[in-house]
Amino acid sequence: MNRVDTRDLARRLRGHALRMTHRARASHVGSCLSMADVLAVLYGAVLRFDPARPDWSERDRLVISKGHAAAIVYAALAETGFLPIEELGTYSADGGRLAGHVTKTVPGVELSTGSLGHGLPVAAGMALAAKRADAGCRAICILSDGELDEGSNWEAIQFAQHFRLSNLVAIVDYNKIQSFGSVAEVSELHPLADKFRAFNWGVHEIDGHDHAELEAVLTAPPPLPGRPTAVVAHTIKGKGVSFMEGLLAWHYKNPDAAQLEAALAELEAGR
Ligand SMILES: Cc1ncc(C[n+]2csc(CCOP(=O)(O)OP(=O)(O)O)c2C)c(N)n1
Ligand SMILES: [Mg+2]
């Protein structure tokens, strides 16, 4: 994998997600922008993959458990050579393969997701299989914070430490907002890092928009040797577009033409 400028990649991913949700009149643009930096660092500097061989047995397995953020996941796959960039114009369109939630028939996607709470259990199974095969690859799962309301996650968190899945990484996109309210209102998670620690996970707690921090923790050995790793990534829903940041409404709303233009101008100005 060639080293890329991850900030530039993140900016392109944000631009794609804005255009895609505008064109498709689709929801979840705030969810996409929240994880743009995490995805850019993963694909630009961390993951082991080969777009010419999506099924390469030694690839790292990236499971996107917050499958509603599909637009930016497809954007990342297009920017890294799994899909033609032009295909992003078919996002959520009839007859296309880029469905509104992450779908496994798209090259580079490991698991269809959208029903929250399934990604981490499957990623734990992938990590266990890789460990038993001595394959040397990792399973990395991106979860949303609201998704941790699902009990299946906590079963997987317990399972993963028991089987000493040191090749498993859970990245929590901790933007403090879910679909009908803040995390604090719906089901408070604080102190989230301590919860993982209590389950015998090693934990990094970082700014999920800081590329240097992201790259450092995602390339480091497990902080708790022999155990899985949680990256509690503090983020801002809608990050990168001033009038979307931290606002619940952009979980559902899509940008109209004027808002798209304003958002793209902000991204351009931020270069
Ligand atoms: C099992 C399940 N219940 C409900 C939903 C509907 N739903 C879609 S996104 C979402 C929550 C969004 O908030 P969060 O999980 O924090 O994700 P974010 O967009 O903030 O990253 C919900 C409840 C779902 N997709 N799956
Ligand atoms: Mg959230």
Side-chain angles (χ1 to χ4, degrees):
M1 182 186 68
N2 293 327
R3 175 71 214 220
V4 303
D5 178 341
T6 60
R7 290 182 186 288
D8 198 47
L9 177 57
R11 202 164 18 244
R12 290 201 302 278
L13 298 186
R14 288 190 162 96
H16 287 309
L18 286 158
R19 284 187 292 269
M20 290 162 77
T21 50
H22 163 71
R23 199 183 293 114
R25 298 188 180 185
S27 296
H28 309 132
V29 68
S31 317
C32 290
L33 298 175
S34 179
M35 61 185 272
D37 298 299
V38 168
L39 275 184
V41 171
L42 281 172
Y43 278 103
V46 174
L47 288 180
R48 189 158 75 165
F49 64 91
D50 179 357
R53 292 179 294 161
D55 294 331
W56 176 39
S57 60
E58 288 171 37
R59 72 194 184 279
D60 287 329
R61 271 58 168 182
L62 178 64
V63 173
I64 313 289
S65 198
K66 45 174 288 190
H68 55 285
I72 202 153
V73 175
Y74 300 145
L77 292 172
E79 284 286 345
T80 48
F82 287 94
L83 306 173
I85 295 272
E86 314 81 65
E87 192 174 347
L88 298 178
T90 68
Y91 174 60
S92 206
D94 282 349
R97 60 179 174 170
L98 304 186
H101 286 72
V102 169
T103 301
K104 188 173 160 31
T105 45
V106 176
V109 171
E110 299 288 348
L111 180 73
S112 295
T113 50
S115 183
L116 296 166
H118 294 282
L120 189 60
V122 176
M126 290 172 171
L128 180 59
K131 195 178 152 173
R132 288 192 170 160
D134 206 12
C137 53
R138 294 195 292 174
I140 298 175
C141 180
I142 304 179
L143 299 141
S144 50
D145 47 9
E147 157 164 45
L148 288 170
D149 296 353
E150 296 289 344
S152 49
N153 288 305
W154 299 100
E155 194 176 333
I157 290 165
Q158 164 64 15
F159 172 94
Q161 63 85 33
H162 176 77
F163 285 96
R164 297 181 167 261
L165 301 181
S166 53
N167 57 344
L168 177 67
V169 179
I171 305 172
V172 181
D173 183 357
Y174 197 8
N175 59 30
K176 328 287 184 306
I177 296 180
Q178 36 184 290
S179 46
F180 292 118
S182 68
V183 168
E185 287 165 330
V186 179
S187 181
E188 180 59 290
L189 284 169
H190 181 76
L192 182 56
D194 287 345
K195 292 186 169 82
F196 278 104
R197 286 189 194 101
F199 276 85
N200 290 327
W201 282 52
V203 181
H204 296 286
E205 190 162 12
I206 61 162
D207 174 348
H209 302 302
D210 183 318
H211 288 225
E213 269 194 281
L214 280 165
E215 184 173 345
V217 302
L218 290 170
T219 53
L224 194 56
R227 303 285 187 169
T229 300
V231 178
V232 175
H234 291 275
T235 54
I236 296 171
K237 204 153 168 167
K239 173 73 177 177
V241 177
S242 59
F243 58 89
M244 295 184 177
E245 288 188 0
L247 290 179
L248 179 65
W250 292 100
H251 184 76
Y252 293 106
K253 276 172 53 162
N254 56 79
D256 64 21
Q259 288 163 332
L260 175 65
E261 195 182 333
L264 293 176
E266 279 194 19
L267 291 183
E268 191 60 32
R271 270 179 193 278

